[in-house]
Amino acid sequence: MATTLRRLSRVLGWWLVMCIASLPVWGILFGLWPDEDTSIADLSRLLAYQGLGLSLSQSMFSALFSSLVSLYLAFLIYSQYQSHSKVGGPWLEKYLSPLLSLPHLAIALGLVFLFSESGVFFVNGDIGLPRKGLSTFIMAIIIKEVPFFLLILIAVGRQLPLHGWLLQGRALGYDISTSWWLLVFPNMLKQMRLALLAASAYTLSVVDMNLLVGPNIPELFAVSVYRWQGSFSEGDQALGFWANVLLLVLLAVSIIFLYCHEKLAIKVLQHWTVLGRRIRLGFVDTLGQVWLPASGLLILLMVLVFTLWSLGFNWRSDTFSLRNLNTHLWQDEWLFVALPLQNALLIGVSAAILGIMFTLLALELQRQKGRYLPDYIWLLGILLPQLSMVLGWQVSHIWLEGGYHSGWVVFAHFPFTFGYAYLVLKGPFQSIDANYELIAASFGYSPWQRWWKIRFRLLFPATLSAFAITFAVSIAQYIPTLMIGAGRVTTITTEAVAIGTGSQQDVAALYILLQSLLPLAAFLITALLSSRVAGPKHSTLEISRC
Amino acid sequence: MISRRFSTKLIGLILLVSLSISNVMAEDLVAETLDETSAKWQQTLKVAKGKSVYFYAWGGSKAVNEYLRWAKREIAKQYGVRLIHVKVTDPGEAVARLKAENGRTSAIDLTWVNGENFAYLKQHDHLLGNLWSSIPNVANLAIDTLPITVDFGESMDGYEVPWGIGQFNLIAEEAVFSNAQFSADDLLTIARNNPETVTYPRPPEFHGSTFLKQLLVNLTQGDERLYMAATEVAQQDLLPKLWAYLDTLHPYLWQQGKAFPTSSSEQFLLYQQKSLSMAVSFNPNQWIKEKATKQIPESSVRRSFIDGAITNSHNLAIPKFAPNSEAAKVVINFMLSEQAQQLKFAGEWGDPSVLKSMFDSRSSLPAHGEPHSSWQLILEDAWQQRYGG
Amino acid sequence: MLSIKNCLIDSETWQIRFPDMQLDPDDLLVIIGPSGIGKSTLLHWLLGNQPKHVNISGQVLIDDQDVSQLAVENRHIGLLMQDVFLFPHLSVEDNISFALPKSPDLNSKKQRRTKAHSMLEQINLEHLGKRYPQSLSGGERSRVGLVRALANQPKVMLLDEPFAALDPSNREKIGKWTFQQLAQQAIPSIMVTHDLKDIPIFAKQLNLADYYQSKETP
């Protein structure tokens, strides 16, 4: 009886997680289903589009380059902080919170305001960033992705016996930095694969940031796709269809590239390991040391600028005095943002918890089966182009006549929170030694009790990181919230994004700050909690004293 | 100078012709309008009471948002109708939804629309018709003086109602743009003398495309073929002048024409930060409102092309399957009331009125009709082909 | 009392027919043999954890009750491994409390912690109670591991290379102490080791290699 029940629940579980995992495919199929008048002629029209080649290659380059550089930088920083800092992980996590909280667009906005030609800190010469250009775009992406990768590295690193590996390496006469790269990196790289895929897919398809700081002669491909898809001029919808298909091809190519990169990187490192080679990074090492303080300072400056703007400060106006600062705007808008903030909070918490629950279910089912499905199956929500996907959901949602309420919006955020939860939790989940549960079993605990009291508790710090990330992901959703909520459900992001398309920097800045508030709270609270939850089995904190 | 005077005259002529055409149509429309006291309108008011109207409208302007907050309060007070502003980043979002709904009950009761989006919605039968004959205040529209019966070549035919007026103008530094009106040649001189401070939003962005149209009109002395469907011959005759001009102009533009602002908003921000000497706008009163709120320096002025500002309307439409179409009509009727139009113009927004009684030549610029809509796509495609890659 | 009957370890290329045997409460059986012969696998099978690479069949009886079909949690068998797997999220005291059996006089958190504390006191380790496993030395970990295993009052104890991670001086001391504890509680035990120095004189010895049969035909 018990076994039948267990089997039944397992079948039901598989059915559920497969449904969730297939939602993105469902969306793409419905959302991309071509109009009758789409033809191959339209495809050749797309291919003849002026500047397409350059646009595609720049998109591809920015996606791969920025995610790989972010990864290597993050690992460099992680290894240095773990080796040299007495405070280590929990402190680092808290420090990352503000870096993670500002939306992508805000970083781009702040960056050009501070460093572009007309910017505050622009020094004539080669120091400034172009107001619009590939380098500015890549820079903004890297600033945003490095803390994200760091957070995931921390979650992954907690479950690995880093201390032991490093000790072995050093015992064999390798310096600490070489030990990190030769012994730890190959192991962590595999666990970072999903984050890499997510970051490059994001860069490939991000629009808002691209519009603001990306090059536009030619524009990056995501912008063209977005423009055609959102335009109802003659022929644009057909172009939009083919452009989306092409975007899917780009995504596939980038996935293949990242897999190859992983294989190659591990091979090269193995080769060096066998040769017993020492790794000297020179000035790059310094970059790792200054990156976090520098980007912390940068974010601080940005927040300061946004705050001043929201208080009515106009950087370049003729009359500029601190006395003109006022809180009118905050007082005016406060009445109108309470509800959107509350909605965002509720939706974010629900979507994050739902995403984590189903991720754990998917991971547990695969563990029991003893075989893990390919990662991209679970990450489709993050990898596939969002607009087409959500269009498909919108069509289905309209068919179902389900009404427009927060529940549906949560459901529309769910595939994204699920994807991000999966990418954060998979590594830590797999790294948990099954012997813990075996020991608990020998004490008479049932499978359920073991799972809850041991596996889940061991995973708890990683779950906290996953919660903060998925919560922030949910808060940032604009397209699903608007398209499924149909304006009945407004969040701080639907307000902020709409106001961001205008030219009032004071209101825009105010909403950027408000929008960052909830993720900041989530990152801070979870960082505080995870430093209180005793858990990491393998402490790396003592290395510096060795 | 001679050519300039000539072109002004010609444009005046064309405007007269086009206005008289619209007059003919307007007469039909006016004949069919509804009286506020009629039983039909009373019925509409009754049905509307207690209903909610979801209004899809761009949410990027604080002034517009504030205005709609005010309208929401007034409409609730006066008619018991709840107006909800669904803030979108682009009108295309409403079009995409109506396309997805494909005839099912809509989530949209009212939408802010014009141009290609309107044409698409009308052609695909997504809009409720007969608005002009079922909303009383339509009778007060200034159809005799403003080009507000045709929307980018697509006749409104009662599928949308004009709400406000857009006129292409520049907000500029007085020291750089010293004359109230300028020609293409003037602009080139200005760009030469003030390199990297002049630019325009990257077409096919709406303002950018209009900028090209204004240049084309000026460079061809308002060739009459621009107001007809673009033929091959006309293109070969007229377009080379524009390309030759742009080839000369671009090196003097912001970023040497290697990048353009993505939107008028972005260009405005660059102007605010003093990276540029000019911004583009479709609101002829934006400059004065921004000055009043100290968003831009006192030295900012409004400038327009010597041929007159390309003028069009932005409009309100009700989806065919809007659940609360009667309430939406009540909202439109309110939006066309003197009270609402007055505040729209006099308040922070500054959008010109569409009412006869409030037509005020000081608030608006000399108008120039839109070239035929076929030119827009041709300009955008050719621009992309020449400069976009 | 533990009995093992008809036990057959069956791999693709070899098999081991384990002799039937019975262990009384005071007995300690030490299984030796070369690496890779299936010593640990056998322990895991006894515990109820089916190994993946080989097939093991047979019966396990505890106090004459056949537990072969029971899941790990119902067998009342304790396991102590080289890495004792103290739960890192629990303090030493809570690790022990976790292992305490359910009984009416051990219902509240306070009762269980008091009990755990007193168990630590008995071996003079009460100062470790509030500490977390990461901060313990190897020897301390081994001892806490055994206390935790014993706290569960297992009917049989399995030890899988329990002292391999300890340095020689500790190793002897802790080994002696462990066997003493097991004897005090009168728990039949099986230990797997490949270090002959670990084996106390009173233990029964069994070399798995003696029962090894290759399946490969020449």
Side-chain angles (χ1 to χ4, degrees):
Chain A
M1 184 59 197
T3 39
T4 340
L5 206 67
R6 199 172 304 160
R7 194 168 307 149
L8 204 70
S9 63
R10 201 172 305 164
V11 171
L12 184 71
W14 270 109
W15 189 79
L16 270 175
V17 292
M18 286 327 283
C19 278
I20 301 310
S22 59
L23 270 176
V25 183
W26 170 273
I28 282 282
L29 282 179
F30 273 75
L32 260 189
W33 202 257
D35 293 341
E36 303 125 54
D37 47 1
T38 306
S39 67
I40 294 293
D42 294 314
L43 176 61
S44 45
R45 203 152 58 84
L46 171 69
L47 296 177
Y49 185 73
Q50 185 64 26
L52 184 74
L54 187 58
S55 162
L56 290 177
S57 42
Q58 285 194 337
S59 291
M60 201 67 186
F61 172 76
S62 60
L64 295 173
F65 180 79
S66 63
S67 31
L68 286 175
V69 167
S70 304
L71 172 79
Y72 283 102
L73 251 175
F75 184 77
L76 188 68
I77 296 165
Y78 178 71
S79 66
Q80 288 175 347
Y81 273 74
Q82 291 287 32
S83 314
H84 303 308
S85 155
K86 288 217 169 88
V87 269
W91 176 83
L92 188 59
E93 250 183 288
K94 266 175 266 174
Y95 185 81
L96 288 178
S97 306
L99 304 186
L100 286 157
S101 307
L102 269 191
H104 279 82
L105 189 65
I107 303 247
L109 191 66
L111 202 61
V112 291
F113 181 75
L114 293 171
F115 295 105
S116 72
E117 279 113 299
S118 56
V120 181
F121 296 110
F122 180 76
V123 186
N124 267 339
D126 308 324
I127 305 168
L129 287 167
R131 182 67 176 68
K132 275 181 181 300
L134 204 59
S135 54
T136 314
F137 176 63
I138 289 175
M139 192 67 195
I141 291 274
I142 292 178
I143 291 176
K144 184 69 189 164
E145 297 296 4
V146 165
F148 169 69
F149 280 131
L150 264 170
L151 194 65
I152 306 212
L153 281 171
I154 292 171
V156 168
R158 242 189 237 118
Q159 315 284 344
L160 295 175
L162 300 180
H163 180 49
W165 293 345
L166 293 167
L167 210 58
Q168 290 295 328
R170 302 183 72 194
L172 296 171
Y174 291 86
D175 60 284
I176 183 85
S177 152
T178 305
S179 302
W180 272 103
W181 287 100
L182 292 186
L183 304 176
V184 181
F185 187 73
N187 289 290
M188 287 192 118
L189 181 60
K190 282 182 197 156
Q191 302 210 2
M192 294 300 290
R193 185 194 296 156
L194 300 183
L196 262 180
L197 293 183
S200 72
Y202 180 87
T203 311
L204 213 48
S205 49
V206 64
V207 174
D208 54 358
M209 214 176 176
N210 224 323
L211 281 172
L212 188 69
V213 296
N216 63 10
I217 303 291
E219 48 201 9
L220 291 185
F221 192 56
V223 174
S224 310
V225 177
Y226 171 77
R227 205 159 38 69
W228 288 321
Q229 203 166 6
S231 160
F232 293 89
S233 293
E234 206 185 324
D236 278 1
Q237 290 282 300
L239 275 183
F241 165 75
W242 286 110
N244 262 300
V245 174
L246 196 52
L247 185 59
L248 285 174
V249 174
L250 283 195
L251 283 164
V253 172
S254 72
I255 291 174
I256 293 169
F257 181 93
L258 289 173
Y259 270 84
C260 292
H261 160 265
E262 181 186 313
K263 290 258 174 307
L264 190 73
I266 290 178
K267 236 197 172 92
V268 169
L269 286 171
Q270 265 172 2
H271 183 66
W272 288 353
T273 311
V274 173
L275 289 177
R277 187 159 161 174
R278 305 300 195 262
I279 294 176
R280 301 259 175 276
L281 290 168
F283 83 98
V284 182
D285 229 28
T286 328
L287 186 64
Q289 281 160 23
V290 298
W291 186 270
L292 271 194
S295 53
L297 188 69
L298 189 67
I299 300 288
L300 202 70
L301 275 173
M302 288 180 186
V303 170
L304 186 72
V305 166
F306 295 142
T307 310
L308 283 174
W309 279 355
S310 77
L311 295 173
F313 183 78
N314 192 343
W315 200 265
R316 303 255 159 187
S317 87
D318 303 329
T319 51
F320 101 21
S321 121
L322 281 179
R323 248 176 298 151
N324 290 345
L325 296 190
N326 61 73
T327 55
H328 294 334
L329 202 57
W330 286 85
Q331 286 163 7
D332 286 354
E333 295 296 313
W334 189 247
L335 277 176
F336 299 97
V337 296
L339 185 67
L341 274 174
Q342 188 190 324
N343 281 342
L345 178 70
L346 275 176
I347 293 168
V349 170
S350 319
I353 291 179
L354 212 58
I356 290 172
M357 271 169 44
F358 275 82
T359 292
L360 291 176
L361 180 62
L363 287 167
E364 181 60 29
L365 288 168
Q366 293 179 94
R367 186 175 72 103
Q368 286 183 9
K369 203 172 176 216
R371 211 169 64 84
Y372 286 80
L373 297 178
D375 300 327
Y376 56 81
I377 290 184
W378 304 107
L379 255 66
L380 288 172
I382 310 179
L383 299 179
L384 295 176
Q386 198 188 39
L387 188 56
S388 311
M389 189 159 70
V390 181
L391 257 173
W393 295 343
Q394 191 186 37
V395 171
S396 326
H397 177 234
I398 291 164
W399 281 353
L400 290 170
E401 293 183 5
Y404 313 98
H405 49 75
S406 317
W408 283 108
V409 176
V410 170
F411 197 59
H413 288 193
F414 178 26
F416 307 110
T417 57
F418 175 79
Y420 275 97
Y422 194 89
L423 86 81
V424 178
L425 289 175
K426 188 196 172 194
F429 185 91
Q430 280 185 313
S431 314
I432 289 178
D433 200 313
N435 279 320
Y436 284 116
E437 280 161 290
L438 188 64
I439 296 282
S442 79
F443 294 154
Y445 287 92
S446 72
W448 269 113
Q449 288 172 321
R450 284 181 329 241
W451 195 91
W452 180 247
K453 292 191 168 173
I454 303 301
R455 180 163 284 267
F456 181 71
R457 287 305 313 277
L458 290 178
L459 208 56
F460 193 62
T463 313
L464 284 173
S465 308
F467 179 84
I469 288 181
T470 51
F471 178 77
V473 162
S474 167
I475 295 295
Q477 296 305 316
Y478 170 74
I479 292 176
T481 313
L482 183 78
M483 285 176 62
I484 304 298
R488 272 65 169 172
V489 186
T490 53
T491 65
I492 192 65
T493 297
T494 60
E495 299 290 298
V497 171
I499 204 74
T501 60
S503 56
Q504 279 96 3
Q505 61 180 20
D506 50 351
V507 204
L510 172 76
Y511 274 89
I512 283 173
L513 291 174
L514 287 171
Q515 206 192 350
S516 317
L517 225 54
L518 290 173
L520 179 67
F523 284 116
L524 271 180
I525 291 171
T526 52
L528 278 171
L529 272 178
S530 72
S531 64
R532 268 160 199 262
V533 182
K537 174 190 168 203
H538 307 286
S539 159
T540 50
L541 305 184
E542 282 138 59
I543 295 167
S544 60
R545 278 164 250 158
C546 293
Chain B
M1 275 322 270
I2 293 167
S3 73
R4 228 181 262 169
R5 222 177 289 137
F6 172 74
S7 74
T8 336
K9 269 186 196 156
L10 188 77
I11 294 310
L13 193 74
I14 288 160
L15 260 186
L16 268 180
V17 173
S18 65
L19 288 180
S20 59
I21 294 168
S22 58
N23 270 350
V24 178
M25 287 162 36
E27 237 122 87
D28 298 345
L29 288 158
V30 173
E32 276 178 52
T33 51
L34 193 70
D35 197 83
E36 284 228 6
T37 54
S38 67
K40 194 178 163 202
W41 183 248
Q42 291 307 315
Q43 180 62 24
T44 301
L45 287 175
K46 212 168 117 191
V47 175
K49 206 166 188 137
K51 298 280 167 30
S52 297
V53 172
Y54 283 90
F55 179 27
Y56 273 55
W58 183 54
S61 159
K62 182 168 177 268
V64 176
N65 295 350
E66 294 279 359
Y67 177 73
L68 290 177
R69 283 171 182 173
W70 167 82
K72 179 193 168 93
R73 288 193 297 272
E74 284 300 313
I75 292 168
K77 206 163 65 189
Q78 295 180 24
Y79 303 101
V81 171
R82 210 170 137 241
L83 177 69
I84 297 131
H85 178 192
V86 177
K87 291 174 188 143
V88 294
T89 57
D90 188 295
E93 282 164 17
V95 183
R97 170 163 272 278
L98 289 171
K99 185 186 170 198
E101 285 170 348
N102 194 23
R104 286 176 182 74
T105 305
S106 185
I108 308 173
D109 296 298
L110 184 63
T111 175
W112 190 10
V113 73
N114 73 356
E116 73 207 27
N117 290 317
F118 170 68
Y120 180 89
L121 290 176
K122 187 185 164 205
Q123 282 154 20
H124 288 77
D125 198 20
H126 287 312
L127 295 178
L128 190 70
N130 299 320
L131 293 186
W132 287 51
S133 57
S134 55
I135 295 172
N137 281 338
V138 167
N140 307 325
L141 286 174
I143 39 182
D144 306 330
T145 37
L146 292 168
I148 52 174
T149 55
V150 176
D151 184 354
F152 287 84
E154 186 74 39
S155 171
M156 289 188 188
D157 291 339
Y159 286 99
E160 64 176 359
V161 177
W163 182 25
I165 293 297
Q167 292 197 296
F168 188 80
N169 65 92
L170 306 188
I171 299 172
E173 266 301 312
E174 191 170 19
V176 180
F177 285 75
S178 38
N179 299 323
Q181 293 194 315
F182 63 92
S183 66
D185 288 338
D186 297 338
L187 186 71
L188 185 59
T189 314
I190 290 170
R192 260 199 194 113
N193 296 337
N194 305 273
E196 301 245 18
T197 72
V198 171
T199 189
Y200 57 98
R202 185 197 198 282
E205 199 273 345
F206 191 55
H207 297 75
S209 303
T210 309
F211 184 80
L212 295 184
K213 286 189 233 169
Q214 291 254 239
L215 284 176
L216 185 62
V217 166
N218 186 268
L219 291 165
T220 61
Q221 285 88 44
D223 194 291
E224 57 190 359
R225 286 171 293 178
L226 290 178
Y227 306 90
M228 299 171 227
T231 60
E232 268 305 313
V233 181
Q235 288 179 48
Q236 276 165 20
D237 278 357
L238 304 176
L239 290 180
K241 292 179 182 154
L242 178 62
W243 307 138
Y245 176 82
L246 289 182
D247 287 344
T248 325
L249 177 72
H250 275 189
Y252 302 108
L253 291 187
W254 181 70
Q255 308 261 315
Q256 293 108 46
K258 290 188 194 105
F260 291 83
T262 22
S263 64
S264 62
S265 304
E266 193 188 330
Q267 183 164 355
F268 185 79
L269 279 174
L270 288 168
Y271 175 72
Q272 260 184 327
Q273 293 168 11
K274 301 206 168 163
S275 295
L276 296 178
S277 63
M278 47 77 85
V280 292
S281 173
F282 253 113
N283 178 348
N285 301 309
Q286 187 183 350
W287 68 292
I288 201 106
K289 304 293 172 188
E290 302 281 5
K291 253 161 65 162
T293 51
K294 296 215 170 12
Q295 292 298 311
I296 50 175
E298 268 305 307
S299 52
S300 299
V301 288
R302 177 181 69 186
R303 294 296 180 246
S304 64
F305 274 92
I306 199 159
D307 320 270
I310 286 186
T311 300
N312 50 47
S313 62
H314 51 88
N315 317 295
L316 298 171
I318 303 176
K320 192 171 186 183
F321 297 101
N324 298 312
S325 55
E326 296 302 291
K329 286 176 187 169
V330 172
V331 172
I332 295 181
N333 197 52
F334 173 80
M335 296 299 194
L336 295 186
S337 68
E338 286 202 8
Q339 182 196 12
Q341 289 277 320
Q342 172 65 32
L343 189 75
K344 180 159 71 75
F345 166 62
E348 239 184 275
W349 185 1
D351 188 48
S353 166
V354 286
L355 298 185
K356 276 182 219 159
S357 55
M358 297 167 69
F359 183 72
D360 175 4
S361 56
R362 276 170 308 163
S363 72
S364 49
L365 292 159
H368 188 99
E370 277 280 353
H372 189 272
S373 56
S374 55
W375 284 98
Q376 176 153 335
L377 274 184
I378 289 163
L379 279 176
E380 286 167 359
D381 283 352
W383 189 93
Q384 172 63 31
Q385 208 61 26
R386 297 184 66 90
Y387 307 109
Chain C
M1 195 178 65
L2 169 76
S3 316
I4 303 168
K5 288 179 185 166
N6 305 323
C7 174
L8 178 73
I9 308 174
D10 196 20
S11 123
E12 263 180 46
T13 52
W14 51 266
Q15 62 176 26
I16 289 171
R17 193 167 291 280
F18 195 77
D20 288 0
M21 65 168 53
Q22 184 170 330
L23 292 180
D24 291 326
D26 293 334
D27 284 348
L28 170 67
L29 171 70
V30 177
I31 299 177
I32 53 170
S35 302
I37 201 166
K39 303 186 294 287
S40 293
T41 315
L42 181 70
L43 285 195
H44 277 257
W45 174 73
L46 286 169
L47 186 69
N49 188 25
Q50 268 301 335
K52 282 195 184 109
H53 314 292
V54 292
N55 194 20
I56 307 186
S57 59
Q59 281 138 1
V60 185
L61 290 91
I62 298 177
D63 298 340
D64 295 326
Q65 190 206 342
D66 189 349
V67 298
S68 312
Q69 300 306 316
L70 295 182
V72 182
E73 60 264 35
N74 299 323
R75 290 195 181 190
H76 297 286
I77 298 178
L79 173 69
L80 196 63
M81 288 179 271
Q82 172 186 333
D83 181 338
V84 290
F85 289 102
L86 293 176
F87 303 119
H89 61 291
L90 299 177
S91 67
V92 166
E93 218 167 81
D94 289 353
N95 258 285
I96 296 167
S97 303
F98 183 76
L100 288 169
K102 286 268 172 221
S103 74
D105 58 328
L106 287 175
N107 248 340
S108 74
K109 208 168 179 174
K110 197 175 165 207
Q111 283 168 331
R112 294 175 79 85
R113 281 201 173 138
T114 313
K115 172 76 180 169
H117 189 76
S118 73
M119 290 189 76
L120 284 169
E121 252 170 3
Q122 283 168 22
I123 55 164
N124 298 322
L125 286 177
E126 67 273 18
H127 60 284
L128 297 180
K130 299 287 178 224
R131 297 205 3 217
Y132 279 85
Q134 302 89 299
S135 66
L136 301 187
S137 71
E140 286 167 340
R141 242 176 256 181
S142 286
R143 279 183 284 174
V144 171
L146 185 72
V147 174
R148 184 179 69 168
L150 293 176
N152 192 242
Q153 297 168 5
K155 292 177 180 160
V156 175
M157 192 71 197
L158 307 173
L159 303 110
D160 189 357
E161 312 248 12
F163 315 122
L166 301 176
D167 57 81
S169 63
N170 250 329
R171 191 168 181 142
E172 207 187 314
K173 207 166 73 192
I174 289 173
K176 216 163 155 184
W177 175 83
T178 303
F179 299 123
Q180 197 186 341
Q181 297 288 325
L182 287 171
Q184 263 175 25
Q185 313 252 341
I187 302 171
S189 312
I190 300 179
M191 178 168 83
V192 157
T193 186
H194 56 247
D195 192 336
L196 298 178
K197 274 183 279 181
D198 285 346
I199 308 173
I201 4 160
F202 57 86
K204 295 181 187 175
Q205 270 192 47
L206 186 148
N207 189 342
L208 269 193
D210 296 345
Y211 304 90
Y212 179 89
Q213 286 172 299
S214 174
K215 278 187 189 171
E216 274 160 14
T217 43

